[in-house]
Amino acid sequence: MKQRDLRVFFLIFTASGFAGLIYESVWTHYLKLFLGHAAYAQALVLAVFMGGLALGSLLCSKYTERIANLLIGYAVVEVIIGLCAVFFHPLYVRFLDSAYSTIIPMLGSPLAVATFKWTSSSLLILPQSILLGMTFPLMTAGLIRRFPQAHGSIVAMLYFTNSIGAAVGVLASGFLFIGWVGLPGTLAIAGIINIVVATVVWLENKEHKASQPGVRRSIDTAPAKPVAPAMYPLFLMIALLTGLSSFIYEIGWIRMLSLVLGSSTHAFELMLSAFIMGIAFGGLWIKQRIDSLRDPRRFLAQVQIAMGILALATLPVYGSTFNIMAWLVNNLPRTETGYFLLNLSSHGLALVVMLPAAFCAGMTLPLITTALMRNGNGEKSIGAVYGLNTIGSILGVFIAVHLAMPLFGLKGMIMLGAGIDIALGLGLIWWMTPSRRSALAYAAVGIAPLMLTLFFVKLDPNKMASGVYRYGTFLDSQKQETLFHQDGKTATVSVTKDSTDMIIRTNGKPDAAIQVAGAGHTTDEETMELAGAMGAILRPEARTAAIIGWGSGLTTNTLLAASQIESLDTIEIEPEMIKAAALFGPRVRLAYDDPRSHRHIEDAKSYFSHYGTKYDLIISEPSNPWVSGVASLFTREFYSRIRQYVNDNGLFIQWIQLYEIDMPLVASIMNALSPYFSDYAIYSTNGKDILIIASPAGTIKEHNASFSSMGNLARELHKINVLETSDISIRLIGKKAVLAPLFESYPITTNSDYTPVVDLYAVRSRFFRAAAYLDFENLAVNQLPVLQMLGKQHADPNMAQLTFSNYPKTRMIYFSTALYQYLMQGKWNWAHQDSPMLPATVRSSEQARQVLTNTCTEESFKQSWWPVMLNPVARIVPFLSATQQASLLRAIETSPCSKRYSASNREFLLLLAAVGKQDPARMVQLSSKLLAELDPKTTDADLLDYALSAAILGNLSSGNVQQARQLWDKYGSLLPDKYAESITMRLLLAHLASPQEH
């Protein structure tokens, strides 16, 4: 019966640990919204969480002997924890609103703001943390009173069950619950678990009489008084220092593994789970042996030395984890199974690094507690040991983040932790061992690994800067030089250089690349230059601006090239970024030297709230949304707040990458922004990045300024081959009226601080190598002018007005002219060898040329009319000038095949002409007639899709939504899924469902 009772309590304490780490995980999400960076939130939550545990434990160590029924006390604490969880979210939301609207604006300096933020964040989670700290000593002492014969194994088993529950809880929270029910719902789940746990304990305890206070009354072997009075404070100090070293390891390992696994939220959860799991299994292993140990003090000394040596061993092991990750990225299939295996393997890599030393850490508390209880210090030692260990953990977090990381780097920080553990072990050995020879042998064993690590172990900066978790490749040290590598407080920043390009990276992820040798430029430069220039071009009256994120400094440099800008504030949270970007030299000179440039090391949300300044332009250029914490700059709460700091005639500009992200996630971001800005326009910078240009009031008008009036700004844009305003207007994808229905058509939750779908799923999109840019490209270079006609935009510039670039739409216009000339004259005129045409396109064009010029037989006509001849022509018609369209269609009308044209063939040629002229009425007339005549069983699917899309587009453009809907209802079911689910058809159908937009 007793064994059954113990199993029930062990199961209960597993559930309690499960809920406890849900709190730690979710609090990290909440506090990174306020503190501005995930690294700060992780460190603070770790510190306060552990600090609260310490205070709770110490309180229990003073009062447990006075409490008659400790298990009932445990149940009461669990109930209060559960109720706190239920009320945390509404309290947090009210606090945040008050902080940003009232308190922060009243504070006098950035230091005061930082102090307020860190203090108030601590107070938000401290009460629950204190209560959580009470659970371990209450449960442990309560069970020892009931089962005094095996107190050592009970302590170890409770430590194991609570820790293993915690390891699973952090994974369940991050990978399941937050995605299902958001942050408030996840807290509610944890709260319900606490209340259920309390209920089970209370019901089970009803069958037993309250235990008498004082564990010493129940243990016959315990002496009445401590036999070694000095042992109690000594072992409490050991508990503190071993907690300190363990959390130095944890912070160091998290930063190290972020360079292998990526710095996403899920990667952090996998690492945290691995660390706790190591502690759990250390507790389980010692549980089987602790009561039979003759001298737990000697064993503790050996464990401390082993822990330090194993921590040092993580440094040489660390290098091989990059190779394993590279293999995984290159070989796992891009499927759900592959994604599961990647996360499982990532957890395994974290375990390889963390588990051996964490396993030893899991033994230390049971050993210290048992040693003190055998010494006669009673059940008060349980809470005292747990409390001092936790205080050490807090100190470890702050020493690691604020001192060891910037002063010593990752290797030095791990060595510092190992040195503390080895010194503790050697100190115990010298205290207990009369034989100096034996003590010297232990000293040699402990000190030798430290010396070997110091002189022979080196961390490879090229591997650490490679971002292996993305593409599975390494920087080639023969071709790339690492110019800068520094472990900052929030990220590891590096700058690498090859023969032409210099790249700045955070945690291995390239943030910006600039070509520093040669005459060309990188695609990143196109994004950064346009991000800096677009606001000044669209709002030439703008005088004040702010930029969120330093990056390379090129965006700041570009905007300062606009002479009308009088003041520019750039906000960056990591100071090492600004130091590193200085290596870009003259390319970013204005960002550093211009007196209008003001740099602020601060969190963006706090900066705007503190100063309360309104700007004509605010540019947000954060890192990729899958990076932990960055997604909070893409939420509806962020857009709601940032709107307050943009003047009514100003603009908010934000960069979003379209690689490694899918359309539903882009839609989630756009749906978050849309309610807070009256209009927006989306411009593509290079085909794979977009800029959202959002206006708080009114509409966004197209620019009409001449480049000749832009001075230095025009010269900056010339560096990326943007020579005329037409090179900018061609990049317009569409405005709010056109694109909002498309984004709203995706069944995905709007990205929010409290339902962080982008933070949760962007890393999955990265693994699947999602490419939302393909959908945007399909819309931009569509064979129908969908965006222009729905948005009532001007026709695109022709080739004579454009500077050639690899931007897809510009390239398509150039290609269309080249194909037109080939079809008309039989000569390819393609001078852009660095941007070759696809062989398949050339082959189909050659076939079309043959049909256009050669004798046309009946059989060849049937085979070539649509797929060979008119499909290529239909693709280029929207990108030709009116003169080119007319002459090409005339050539087709008079070709040798023209004698075989049916009435529907001729109508299709007329439809092509109507599409080229963007004549909606004629498009509706001709396409509707073609659809009525087509035989769906024999008609080419491309042709059916073209005719139906043209008919719907023409009707929508004319405002005839009902007629467009009737056409879809009649013919839509005939389309194969590939066409019915295309991005073009999705956009058209979205407008069918949103007639109010027309």
Side-chain angles (χ1 to χ4, degrees):
M1 187 67 175
K2 287 184 178 181
Q3 284 301 319
R4 185 196 69 80
D5 288 347
L6 267 178
R7 284 195 295 269
V8 168
F9 281 109
F10 291 151
L11 181 61
I12 286 168
F13 214 46
T14 303
S16 179
F18 180 89
L21 257 290
I22 287 178
Y23 294 132
E24 182 174 352
S25 173
V26 173
W27 289 341
T28 301
H29 281 276
Y30 274 103
L31 293 192
K32 71 186 177 187
L33 301 173
F34 189 44
L35 296 177
H37 200 284
Y40 287 156
Q42 290 161 8
L44 183 67
V45 170
L46 278 173
V48 177
F49 187 75
M50 300 307 291
L53 298 184
L55 287 172
S57 299
L58 291 170
L59 284 172
C60 282
S61 72
K62 291 193 174 193
Y63 298 109
T64 49
E65 294 183 355
R66 306 179 193 176
I67 300 173
N69 194 323
L70 293 174
L71 293 177
I72 289 296
Y74 170 83
V76 171
V77 168
E78 288 280 5
V79 168
I80 299 172
I81 292 170
L83 293 175
C84 288
V86 172
F87 290 105
F88 180 86
H89 177 76
L91 175 66
Y92 177 83
V93 172
R94 288 191 177 188
F95 160 75
L96 212 62
D97 291 340
S98 176
Y100 282 126
S101 63
T102 306
I103 302 172
I104 291 178
M106 293 168 54
L107 299 175
S109 68
L111 178 60
V113 172
T115 303
F116 165 72
K117 287 171 64 176
W118 285 74
T119 303
S120 56
S121 296
S122 301
L123 293 175
L124 278 170
I125 62 174
L126 183 60
Q128 301 97 300
S129 299
I130 292 172
L131 292 168
L132 287 165
M134 294 180 180
T135 58
F136 184 82
L138 285 172
M139 174 66 83
T140 304
L143 288 185
I144 288 175
R145 286 184 185 180
R146 186 176 296 185
F147 308 104
Q149 68 280 5
H151 57 82
S153 63
I154 287 175
V155 171
M157 191 61 184
L158 286 174
Y159 198 51
F160 165 73
T161 54
N162 197 247
S163 298
I164 202 67
V168 176
V170 70
L171 296 179
S173 170
F175 285 88
L176 297 176
F177 297 155
I178 295 174
W180 292 344
V181 294
L183 299 181
T186 304
L187 279 178
I189 289 173
I192 290 168
I193 291 172
N194 289 126
I195 293 170
V196 170
V197 162
T199 304
V200 173
V201 171
W202 183 79
L203 291 174
E204 200 281 339
N205 196 69
K206 278 181 66 177
E207 302 175 6
H208 298 269
K209 293 181 179 180
S211 301
Q212 295 299 317
V215 70
R216 281 172 289 186
R217 301 180 185 180
S218 306
I219 303 176
D220 297 334
T221 57
K225 294 181 180 179
V227 295
M231 185 174 164
Y232 187 68
L234 173 64
F235 271 61
L236 291 184
M237 183 55 64
I238 292 171
L240 183 144
L241 290 174
T242 193
L244 184 148
S245 64
S246 295
F247 273 77
I248 288 177
Y249 298 147
E250 181 173 4
I251 298 297
W253 289 333
I254 286 173
R255 176 64 66 82
M256 287 164 60
L257 287 169
S258 292
L259 306 176
V260 180
L261 310 182
S263 49
S264 67
T265 296
H266 283 333
F268 169 72
E269 289 157 349
L270 290 169
M271 291 183 268
L272 183 59
S273 173
F275 181 75
I276 296 167
M277 197 170 287
I279 290 174
F281 281 102
L284 178 65
W285 186 87
I286 199 66
K287 177 248 180 194
Q288 307 295 335
R289 298 159 178 82
I290 195 165
D291 288 317
S292 60
L293 289 175
R294 287 183 56 193
D295 188 351
R297 298 172 302 169
R298 177 177 291 276
F299 195 75
L300 174 64
Q302 295 166 346
V303 167
Q304 293 288 164
I305 295 170
M307 180 159 53
I309 294 172
L310 290 170
L312 292 171
T314 63
L315 293 170
V317 168
Y318 176 56
S320 63
T321 62
F322 287 95
N323 300 324
I324 297 170
M325 179 54 68
W327 187 92
L328 291 169
V329 171
N330 289 319
N331 291 279
L332 287 176
R334 305 291 155 175
T335 62
E336 293 295 343
T337 301
Y339 183 58
F340 170 78
L341 290 174
L342 178 71
N343 283 306
L344 186 64
S345 301
S346 297
H347 196 246
L349 286 175
L351 284 171
V352 166
V353 171
M354 294 181 170
L355 188 138
F359 186 90
C360 292
M363 292 189 250
T364 56
L365 260 66
L367 285 167
I368 295 170
T369 305
T370 299
L372 288 178
M373 293 188 73
R374 286 191 187 179
N375 192 53
N377 294 99
E379 63 188 27
K380 70 173 184 178
S381 60
I382 299 171
V385 168
Y386 196 57
L388 267 294
N389 181 263
T390 310
I391 290 173
S393 302
I394 302 167
L395 294 173
V397 169
F398 281 100
I399 288 172
V401 172
H402 296 290
L403 294 176
M405 187 86 73
L407 289 177
F408 307 134
L410 290 173
K411 174 185 169 182
M413 189 162 71
I414 298 298
M415 288 187 65
L416 173 64
I420 291 170
D421 277 328
I422 291 171
L424 287 175
L426 293 179
L428 278 173
I429 290 292
W430 280 79
W431 177 51
M432 294 182 304
T433 305
S435 168
R436 289 293 160 245
R437 176 177 293 182
S438 177
L440 288 171
Y442 274 105
V445 169
I447 294 172
L450 278 169
M451 295 298 101
L452 289 171
T453 302
L454 178 63
F455 292 109
F456 296 105
V457 175
K458 298 186 184 303
L459 300 182
D460 186 346
N462 270 17
K463 276 189 174 182
M464 297 169 75
S466 64
V468 66
Y469 50 83
R470 294 179 78 198
Y471 304 122
T473 58
F474 296 109
L475 299 179
D476 187 342
S477 58
Q478 301 298 315
K479 298 178 180 178
Q480 287 160 315
E481 179 186 2
T482 300
L483 305 178
F484 182 97
H485 186 88
Q486 186 65 41
D487 298 311
K489 289 184 179 181
T490 66
T492 296
V493 180
S494 55
V495 176
T496 60
K497 181 180 180 296
D498 59 21
S499 59
T500 59
D501 298 346
M502 191 180 291
I503 304 174
I504 189 168
R505 305 167 187 265
T506 55
N507 289 341
K509 188 200 79 66
D511 267 356
I514 293 179
Q515 185 168 321
V516 292
H521 63 271
T522 67
T523 55
D524 281 353
E525 288 177 72
E526 295 177 15
T527 298
M528 294 181 288
E529 293 268 16
L530 287 170
M534 287 301 296
I537 292 172
L538 293 175
R539 290 286 191 273
E541 67 276 14
R543 296 294 180 267
T544 59
I547 297 177
I548 301 171
W550 185 264
S552 67
L554 185 57
T555 300
T556 298
N557 186 88
T558 301
L559 186 50
L560 288 167
S563 58
Q564 70 265 32
I565 297 298
E566 297 172 355
S567 178
L568 173 56
D569 295 309
T570 306
I571 304 104
E572 170 60 52
I573 200 167
E574 176 51 66
E576 296 301 330
M577 286 293 291
I578 296 176
K579 292 180 188 176
L583 293 174
F584 288 108
R587 195 72 174 85
V588 295
R589 177 185 59 81
L590 292 176
Y592 289 88
D593 298 341
D594 195 301
R596 297 171 295 162
S597 177
H598 311 288
R599 301 185 291 275
H600 305 270
I601 306 299
E602 209 167 335
D603 160 50
K605 286 184 272 190
S606 297
Y607 171 84
F608 287 109
S609 177
H610 175 220
Y611 291 100
T613 305
K614 283 198 168 190
Y615 293 90
D616 297 325
L617 302 173
I618 294 180
I619 302 169
S620 178
E621 200 176 17
S623 192
N624 301 56
W626 55 262
V627 177
S628 181
V630 172
S632 66
L633 295 177
F634 296 91
T635 65
R636 62 187 178 197
E637 290 83 1
F638 171 73
Y639 295 127
S640 171
R641 291 193 187 100
I642 204 68
R643 160 69 181 84
Q644 302 170 33
Y645 304 106
V646 183
N647 287 320
D648 286 345
N649 63 342
L651 293 175
F652 170 71
I653 301 169
Q654 187 169 50
W655 165 78
I656 302 178
Q657 102 285 351
L658 296 181
Y659 53 90
E660 300 178 335
I661 196 170
D662 57 29
M663 277 298 288
L665 289 178
V666 174
S668 178
I669 293 170
M670 295 307 304
N671 292 338
L673 175 141
S674 187
Y676 303 103
F677 293 90
S678 63
D679 193 19
Y680 61 73
I682 295 180
Y683 283 81
S684 178
T685 62
N686 54 33
K688 293 186 178 181
D689 296 283
I690 58 173
L691 294 174
I692 307 166
I693 318 288
S695 174
T699 59
I700 295 177
K701 297 180 175 60
E702 294 185 39
H703 63 281
N704 52 20
S706 168
F707 263 41
S708 61
S709 65
M710 293 183 189
N712 290 335
L713 183 60
R715 282 188 282 276
E716 277 295 324
L717 292 173
H718 285 180
K719 295 174 183 176
I720 58 169
N721 289 335
V722 174
L723 307 183
E724 296 293 340
T725 54
S726 55
D727 293 326
I728 293 177
S729 61
I730 193 65
R731 288 172 159 84
L732 176 64
I733 302 292
K735 297 183 180 179
K736 183 175 182 178
V738 177
L739 296 175
L742 171 67
F743 297 132
E744 291 165 4
S745 72
Y746 287 92
I748 187 169
T749 303
T750 298
N751 192 42
S752 162
D753 286 344
Y754 310 116
T755 52
V757 293
V758 174
D759 190 47
L760 291 174
Y761 300 120
V763 67
R764 180 181 177 278
S765 292
R766 190 193 77 202
F767 172 77
F768 280 96
R769 294 177 180 167
Y773 65 84
L774 294 177
D775 286 326
F776 279 85
E777 183 177 324
N778 286 337
L779 289 174
V781 298
N782 200 273
Q783 59 189 355
L784 291 170
V786 179
L787 296 172
Q788 293 91 327
M789 292 183 69
L790 289 179
K792 308 294 190 293
Q793 294 169 203
H794 298 303
D796 291 325
N798 59 42
M799 191 185 87
Q801 299 169 299
L802 289 173
T803 309
F804 181 81
S805 72
N806 270 321
Y807 173 62
K809 197 168 187 179
T810 300
R811 189 172 183 269
M812 185 65 185
I813 290 172
Y814 268 72
F815 169 74
S816 298
T817 297
L819 178 55
Y820 161 78
Q821 292 172 342
Y822 173 75
L823 291 175
M824 299 297 291
Q825 302 167 13
K827 295 181 181 178
W828 277 113
N829 182 21
W830 189 257
H832 310 287
Q833 298 307 313
D834 59 337
S835 182
M837 293 181 293
L838 296 176
T841 305
V842 175
R843 281 197 301 273
S844 65
S845 303
E846 289 171 349
Q847 293 171 331
R849 167 73 182 167
Q850 290 172 8
V851 172
L852 193 62
T853 56
N854 294 348
T855 303
C856 183
T857 65
E858 183 174 354
E859 185 63 27
S860 67
F861 173 74
K862 287 181 180 178
Q863 293 176 350
S864 62
W865 165 252
W866 172 254
V868 172
M869 183 68 217
L870 290 187
N871 196 355
V873 172
R875 291 203 62 80
I876 68 172
V877 160
F879 305 100
L880 297 175
S881 68
T883 302
Q884 290 171 332
Q885 291 172 14
S887 50
L888 178 58
L889 293 175
R890 192 179 307 113
I892 296 173
E893 289 172 0
T894 58
S895 72
C897 278
S898 61
K899 61 189 176 191
R900 302 189 183 278
Y901 291 171
S902 64
S904 62
N905 295 150
R906 297 184 185 280
E907 287 163 359
F908 188 83
L909 288 173
L910 294 174
L911 175 59
L912 289 181
V915 168
K917 295 175 182 177
Q918 298 185 22
D919 183 343
R922 192 82 169 124
M923 287 168 60
V924 170
Q925 177 192 0
L926 293 165
S927 56
S928 297
K929 189 173 181 183
L930 278 169
L931 287 169
E933 296 170 353
L934 291 176
D935 181 355
K937 294 182 180 178
T938 59
T939 299
D940 186 279
D942 283 332
L943 183 56
L944 175 61
D945 176 58
Y946 187 90
L948 180 56
S949 299
I952 293 175
L953 176 60
N955 274 305
L956 286 174
S957 185
S958 302
N960 302 320
V961 179
Q962 187 60 36
Q963 292 91 321
R965 190 176 289 113
Q966 289 171 355
L967 283 167
W968 172 254
D969 292 341
K970 185 174 182 179
Y971 298 105
S973 60
L974 303 177
L975 279 177
D977 290 345
K978 160 183 160 178
Y979 298 91
E981 296 170 1
S982 71
I983 189 67
T984 304
M985 192 58 74
R986 186 180 196 105
L987 175 62
L988 294 173
L989 295 181
H991 279 265
L992 291 186
S994 305
Q996 67 276 10
E997 299 290 345
H998 301 279

